[in-house]
Structures are given as C-alpha cells and as structure tokens.
Amino acid sequence: MFWLAEYVSRAKVSEKVDVYSFGVVLLELATGRGAQDGGTESGSCLAKWASKRYKSGEPGAGDLVDGEIQDPACLDDMVAVLELGVACTGEDPSSRPPMSEVLRRLLQCGRSQMAVDVDDDYSAKDVCGVDSLENMV
C-alpha cells in the first residue's frame, strides 16, 4: 500500500489523489512491476523509480517498458502509457493532468494499429468501445 504525502498531511481525497493512483496502475501495466517494486534507490516506490529513470533519459523510455510486452508494433503506445503514468504520479498535485486529459491521451494510444488490425466487417471503434468513451471527454 502506498500513501501520498498530500493525503496523509491533509487527510483529504481529491481528484489529484485519484489521478496519482491511476498513474501507479498505468506504471504497473507499462513496466510489469508492482507499486512497491521501485528498487532501493527509490525507497521501493514504483512512481519515484519510473520518474527518476524516465527523466534521466538513461536508459531510453522503451527500455523501461515490460520486456514481456515490448512487441515492436506496440512499443510506442506502451511508452506513451509509461509517460502518462509518470505525469499522473508527479510530486506536485497541481502538475498532474485531469482525468479527462488522461482519458483523451489513452484513447490516442493504438489508433493507427486498430485501423490496420480490425476486419472490414467491424470498425475499430465498435470493437474497442471507443465511440462511447470518446463522448466522456
């Protein structure tokens, strides 16, 4: 279990706390690591580990993505999910994107690949449910 400093000090849940939590889930999906699997240099915090490694540029962001899902066709989208996870888990709550922006950016992932992969009988939007999600943005 992880606790955000702004939650502990103010005991107030806000959208920004939810954004942080969702960002941790995105980082878990992109890296294949758990929330407390950030290594000793980051105090075991995945968000700190990902932010530090991503911002340092060493190794490249693609190298931070889980090796089990590094399909070349999906790598750009997985890096985008990793970048979004880093943005959502920023230390300053005011710098975290609103959930509407998070949703918009997630919907952009895989757009070009969906158009190629889907049979002619179905549109990518119908198969993935994107039509209904886009109306939420």
Side-chain angles (χ1 to χ4, degrees):
M1 174 64 87
F2 57 90
W3 294 95
L4 287 172
E6 72 252 25
Y7 176 74
V8 173
S9 65
R10 298 183 197 115
K12 182 180 177 185
V13 176
S14 69
E15 176 190 11
K16 297 303 183 173
V17 172
D18 291 339
V19 170
Y20 184 97
S21 298
F22 191 71
V24 171
V25 172
L26 293 176
L27 291 174
E28 288 177 321
L29 292 170
T31 65
R33 293 171 170 251
Q36 296 298 321
D37 191 13
T40 56
E41 79 270 2
S42 300
S44 297
C45 176
L46 177 61
K48 288 181 182 178
W49 173 86
S51 177
K52 182 178 177 180
R53 302 278 305 263
Y54 176 75
K55 290 176 181 175
S56 75
E58 295 289 330
D63 293 332
L64 300 177
V65 173
D66 184 355
E68 295 291 319
I69 52 175
Q70 281 194 348
D71 180 344
C74 299
L75 189 57
D76 287 344
D77 290 333
M78 292 312 301
V79 169
V81 169
L82 176 83
E83 290 171 345
L84 186 55
V86 169
C88 289
T89 57
E91 285 190 34
D92 178 15
S94 65
S95 72
R96 297 176 197 148
M99 283 304 290
S100 58
E101 172 70 11
V102 173
L103 176 61
R104 187 189 66 73
R105 289 175 61 182
L106 285 173
L107 288 172
Q108 289 176 342
C109 292
R111 286 284 169 104
S112 60
Q113 191 63 36
M114 285 190 316
V116 172
D117 290 345
V118 177
D119 292 337
D120 292 337
D121 293 341
Y122 301 98
S123 75
K125 287 186 176 186
D126 293 335
V127 171
C128 298
V130 174
D131 276 332
S132 60
L133 289 175
E134 283 181 334
N135 294 327
M136 296 172 57
V137 179

